[in-house]
Amino acid sequence: MQVFKIFKDAVLNKSDAVRGIFLKGGQVFLYLVILAALMAIPQTIIAGKLVSTLTTNFETVANNIPEYTLTDNQLDKDSGEAKVVNTDFIVYSFDPNDDVSTSELKDLNTNGLIIENQKDQLYLAVNNQDYHIKYSDGLNASVQKSLFNNMGQFQFLTYPITFIGIMIGQLVMLSFLQLMIALLCGFSKHSQRLKLTLGNRFRLGILQNTLPILVITVINLLPLNLPFQFEILLIAGVIRTVKVMKNIKVIKY
């Protein structure tokens, strides 16, 4: 397809990529989707690792839930000894005598999920929101373990759903970035000399920003933290687009 040929030329920094200025609207959208998909890969990998870790944390909690028994919808005294388990994202406490305060658990992991088997209920806390599930609602050790062990049952869907969500976000950001580049390049005397429209500059800016976008994507795949990525792409896009406009010659007959 013409789009992929132009994409290849843009990556290799070939002058032939300039002909992409004549891409149709649908082709421009496809080109943006390709770039957004590439930019979404590093963040998808990170999100996938977080979900995998969270799934492991839930399994750890499930393995530490005692086979407790209930009498009058309260934990029996012989259900097990009190314990606190602190994982990456979850703090779990089995507290049959309500000896451990919720504030103590929150101090162990301020941004994590708090799960506590209290005397008469299951206490949950996340994002400063508290939830209470009474044992009288049908909760028991077997149900609780099964619930936590099954948290990773649909983990295989995490990557495609996360990828699509991140890609859409990157597509919106990239479209705004390229619009900013097109507007700024409009002040260039070379744009006025060539009488380029906003659409022409938008297309040209996408092509000239392809290589910088790929470079930043590769950096994001590495254990590096590059700040001001939007600003870097904005400056690089404007400079490269103005430079290529400068080299375009108008032949008069």
Side-chain angles (χ1 to χ4, degrees), residues 64 81-87 90-95 99-101 104-106 108 114-116:
N64 279 278
E81 296 182 356
K83 65 170 70 174
V84 175
V85 179
N86 189 9
T87 66
I90 303 174
V91 176
Y92 170 70
S93 171
F94 183 76
D95 187 20
D99 294 326
V100 182
S101 67
E104 290 180 279
L105 297 177
K106 292 179 180 179
L108 293 175
I114 307 300
I115 302 175
E116 183 180 22

Side-chain angles (χ1 to χ4, degrees), residues 193-207:
R193 172 177 60 86
L194 297 171
K195 298 181 180 179
L196 298 177
T197 65
L198 179 65
N200 293 146
R201 299 193 303 273
F202 187 90
R203 290 168 172 80
L204 197 58
I206 295 173
L207 302 175

